[in-house]
Amino acid sequence: MTLEKGQIPREINIHFQIFGKESWEVEYDKFGYCDICNSRIDEFGYCACGGAAD
């Protein structure tokens, strides 16, 4: 297995194991910004304050 610089092996890549994609592949353009923490809401409906954004 050859790795690019900065690539995490899949067997220890927790983000890939949980979400099925690399962290840089997550889309943030669907929901806008969280009213509580003012960070972008990702395609899974989560933001930086750790809860599901309404």
Side-chain angles (χ1 to χ4, degrees):
M1 174 164 88
T2 339
L3 296 177
E4 299 288 325
K5 183 179 178 183
Q7 185 179 6
I8 302 169
R10 294 234 168 146
E11 56 271 2
I12 62 169
N13 187 341
I14 301 301
H15 190 279
F16 188 83
Q17 292 173 10
I18 293 172
F19 298 108
K21 59 173 58 181
E22 299 291 351
S23 58
W24 56 84
E25 297 174 323
V26 177
E27 296 180 28
Y28 288 96
D29 298 328
K30 292 186 177 185
F31 301 110
Y33 288 84
C34 175
D35 294 332
I36 298 168
C37 67
N38 200 34
S39 68
R40 298 179 300 169
I41 301 170
D42 66 17
E43 64 189 76
F44 303 105
Y46 292 102
C47 59
C49 61
D54 291 331

